[in-house]
Amino acid sequence: MMHHRVIADNGLKVTSGGCAVAVRLPWYRSLPLSVVDVVSIEFDGRVIDMSNVVFQLEGSSIRLDELRARTTENWFVLDTAYLVLNEKNLEVGKEYDVAVTLAIYPPYLKDLHRVVRTQKRLLAH
Amino acid sequence: MQSASSSNLRLGSTLYSFTTEYHNHDYSFESLIRRIAAENLGPGLEIVGFQSIKGFPVVSDAYADWFRGLIDEVGLELSCLGINSDFGINRDRKMTEDELFDYHVPQLHAAAKLGFPLIRYQYGAGPEAIKRLVPEAEKLGLKLALEIHASHHVQHPVILAFREMYEQVNSPLLGFIPDFGASVHSVPPSFLDFVRSIGVAESMIDLALEVWHAGGNGSEMAAQFYQKAVAMGGDADLILELFPIFGLFSRQDPRDWAEIMPQTFHIHGKFFDFADDGAEASIDYASTLKVFVEGDFNGYMSSEYEGHHWTDADAFDKVRRHHALASSILHKLG
C-alpha cells in the first residue's frame, strides 16, 4: 500500500535554514522527476507556502517548478528525497503532524495519475 | 512446490510481487532473489529493470557479472525482464516514433547483457517502433513480448494493431504476455475492503461495480462512473480511489487467450486474494490454465501478486499459495 509511504519514518530534520522532510516515491519503480509533482505540505494542519520549497535528491537541489523539465533524471524507488522548507520555528525533540501530498504521472500509462497523501506525526531531530 | 504435470507451463516469480517488502527496505534485490530460490518459488525469475536496478538501463560489466553469478549460484532461470515503454516522460507531448525506438534500444541491450532471453514491453511503444527493433532483437537473440494488461484484451483495437504488425513481420521473436488481470470475473475483495477502510461510500462502490459489470472500454467506463458519481454528490478524491477498478481488472473470457497462443511467450499469473479453499478469489485459475495447457503453451508463468497497491499483506505467503494452486491445477490437467 502506497498511502503511508510518501513520508519516510523519522523523516523530519531541523536544519540551520529551517527543516527537511524525508520523502519516498509512492510507486513500485523508479520514475523520472518530470512526472512527479509535490502538491502540498502541511504542518500541524497549516498549509505551507510551496514557492520556497526545494526538492533535494542525491546532492541536487531543484525548485519544485523545475521538476517537470527534468526528463532524464530518475528518482530511484529505494532512494529518499528531501523537501527543504523555511520552517524556522521547529524545535528538536518536539512532535509535529506533517502531511505531504505527491502526484505521479506514470509515463507508460495513458490518462492515469495518482495523488498520494501521507500524514504522520514526526519527532523533529 | 513444483507440479508433477507433463505440461510445458513452468512456474516462477516476478520480483514485482514483493514490492511492499522491497520498498520498505525489508529485502534488497539480492536478498529477495535468494529467498525466492530458498523457498522454491522459481525456477523462473522475472524482474522489472526500473524497479530493481539503479541507473537502468545502464548496466556495467561488473554488475552484469555479479547478477549472472548470483543467478547461477541460486539456481534460478531468468524468464523475462520487464522494460518500460515510457512514452509520457515529457508531460507536454508523447515521444515520437524515433524517440520510442531510441528509448527501447538500451533496454534491450541491458536485457541481453544480464542474460534474459525475453523482454516485456508495453503498448506505449507502438507497433512501428517495435517493428524497427526486430533487427536489434535478432542481433541480441532476444524475444520481445507485448504485455496484454487490463484494460486491454486480445480484441482491443490497441492490441489488434500489434497483432496486425506481427502478421506482416512474421518474426519468431515477436510475441505476447497475457496478464490474467485482463480476464478476471470479479473485483478482488481486498480492494473493496481497502476502499471501504478509507471511507468510500457503499453507494459509490455499488455504482463503480455496476458500471464495471456493464462492460466497455476502460477509460470510457471510468469517465462514465466519474460523471455519475459526481452527480450523486460523491467526494471527488474518494471517487478517484475507485478508478483502479477500470484499469487493473478486465473481464475478458479466459478462453479468448487461445487466439494468441502460438505467439504467447510468457504469462503474468496475476493474482490478489485467496478463498478458504485455496482458489483465487477473482480469477478462475482452473479454467484459465486449462486454456494454456490445451494450447501447448511452453514457457514460464510468473506469479505476479498485485495487491500491494492497496494492502501490506505478506507477499511470500501470497506467492506460496499461488504456486500451490497452480501446481495443483496443472497436476490435475496432466
Side-chain angles (χ1 to χ4, degrees):
Chain A
M1 174 196 303
M2 292 296 168
H3 281 61
H4 59 79
R5 296 189 187 278
V6 171
I7 300 177
D9 288 331
N10 200 23
L12 179 60
K13 188 173 171 48
V14 176
T15 63
S16 54
C19 72
V21 179
V23 289
R24 296 283 308 280
L25 182 64
W27 203 238
Y28 73 89
R29 55 159 280 206
S30 309
L31 292 174
L33 294 179
S34 56
V35 302
V36 177
D37 282 345
V38 182
V39 178
S40 67
I41 306 170
E42 296 150 60
F43 262 86
D44 288 337
R46 183 169 45 86
V47 177
I48 298 291
D49 173 11
M50 302 295 277
S51 58
N52 294 317
V53 176
V54 171
F55 180 92
Q56 279 188 347
L57 181 66
E58 298 204 285
S60 290
S61 292
I62 305 166
R63 281 208 333 260
L64 298 186
D65 59 3
E66 290 175 335
L67 286 172
R68 192 166 172 145
R70 303 282 180 130
T71 54
T72 59
E73 290 159 68
N74 279 352
W75 183 358
F76 184 55
V77 66
L78 293 184
D79 287 350
T80 300
Y82 296 89
L83 298 173
V84 180
L85 322 174
N86 284 333
E87 282 292 300
K88 295 198 193 300
N89 297 321
L90 301 191
E91 292 171 35
V92 171
K94 197 176 162 193
E95 287 192 330
Y96 296 88
D97 278 323
V98 182
V100 176
T101 303
L102 297 186
I104 54 171
Y105 297 75
Y108 52 94
L109 295 170
K110 200 175 151 218
D111 303 330
L112 183 136
H113 75 283
R114 297 294 299 275
V115 180
V116 188
R117 179 179 185 273
T118 299
Q119 180 171 349
K120 283 187 179 172
R121 189 148 183 87
L122 299 175
L123 184 70
H125 63 93
Chain B
M1 191 189 330
Q2 271 301 288
S3 162
S5 106
S6 58
S7 95
N8 290 315
L9 192 160
R10 299 180 295 284
L11 303 185
S13 291
T14 169
L15 294 195
Y16 176 73
S17 295
F18 305 95
T19 289
T20 293
E21 289 77 5
Y22 177 71
H23 196 284
N24 208 34
H25 294 292
D26 297 334
Y27 286 83
S28 66
F29 179 39
E30 178 177 347
S31 62
L32 276 178
I33 290 172
R34 288 189 182 279
R35 182 155 176 203
I36 285 167
E39 290 219 22
N40 202 17
L41 297 174
L45 179 72
E46 176 171 1
I47 73 168
V48 175
F50 282 109
Q51 178 174 51
S52 295
I53 301 172
K54 187 168 180 172
F56 186 81
V58 177
V59 176
S60 70
D61 291 349
Y63 188 91
D65 287 347
W66 165 80
F67 178 69
R68 284 169 172 258
L70 174 64
I71 298 304
D72 280 350
E73 182 199 328
V74 299
L76 293 174
E77 294 162 27
L78 297 178
S79 59
C80 181
L81 176 70
I83 70 169
N84 283 103
S85 304
D86 291 333
F87 61 88
I89 282 177
N90 181 336
R91 278 157 63 189
D92 300 319
R93 64 171 182 82
K94 284 186 192 170
M95 280 187 189
T96 64
E97 189 188 304
D98 283 349
E99 287 170 331
L100 282 163
F101 174 82
D102 290 344
Y103 190 75
H104 285 74
V105 169
Q107 297 191 73
L108 266 53
H109 281 259
K113 193 168 180 175
L114 292 166
F116 285 93
L118 166 72
I119 60 96
R120 174 291 308 263
Y121 73 89
Q122 298 167 302
Y123 70 93
E128 287 309 309
I130 296 300
K131 186 176 171 180
R132 286 171 55 191
L133 285 166
V134 171
E136 204 67 28
E138 285 170 348
K139 208 164 64 187
L140 297 168
L142 195 61
K143 289 184 171 178
L144 315 179
L146 171 66
E147 177 179 27
I148 303 180
H149 188 285
S151 59
H152 294 146
H153 48 79
V154 295
Q155 285 290 339
H156 191 284
V158 166
I159 303 302
L160 289 176
F162 286 92
R163 292 177 68 179
E164 281 164 25
M165 182 272 282
Y166 281 11
E167 240 177 72
Q168 289 165 13
V169 176
N170 197 26
S171 167
L173 297 180
L174 294 176
F176 295 104
I177 300 176
D179 182 298
F180 291 168
S183 50
V184 307
H185 55 69
S186 55
V187 173
S190 62
F191 178 79
L192 299 177
D193 291 344
F194 164 69
V195 290
R196 286 185 182 110
S197 76
I198 58 170
V200 177
E202 283 304 316
S203 58
M204 291 296 124
I205 295 172
D206 290 346
L207 176 64
L209 293 177
E210 189 187 306
V211 171
W212 185 76
H213 278 289
N217 170 295
S219 51
E220 285 168 16
M221 282 191 288
Q224 193 191 345
F225 163 66
Y226 187 80
Q227 210 172 15
K228 288 184 178 179
V230 169
M232 281 170 63
D235 176 282
D237 289 342
L238 292 178
I239 290 171
L240 288 178
E241 296 287 350
L242 285 163
F243 268 38
I245 287 181
F246 307 106
L248 292 180
F249 324 119
S250 297
R251 295 190 306 126
Q252 177 195 291
D253 187 325
R255 288 171 297 188
D256 292 348
W257 293 121
E259 283 185 31
I260 54 162
M261 197 59 70
Q263 294 163 306
T264 297
F265 293 161
H266 183 72
I267 298 169
H268 280 172
K270 181 63 59 66
F271 66 100
F272 308 96
D273 302 316
F274 294 97
D276 291 342
D277 64 358
E280 214 289 336
S282 43
I283 298 166
D284 182 347
Y285 263 83
S287 304
T288 306
L289 292 184
K290 187 165 181 271
V291 176
F292 287 82
V293 170
E294 288 181 353
D296 290 329
F297 169 75
N298 186 352
Y300 289 100
M301 175 173 75
S302 286
S303 292
E304 193 179 68
Y305 173 61
E306 201 169 42
H308 49 74
H309 278 297
W310 55 85
T311 88
D312 285 341
D314 176 1
F316 281 100
D317 174 60
K318 293 278 190 181
V319 173
R320 276 193 296 268
R321 287 172 192 249
H322 189 251
H323 271 234
L325 172 65
S327 294
S328 154
I329 292 168
L330 291 172
H331 183 73
K332 282 180 198 151
L333 288 170

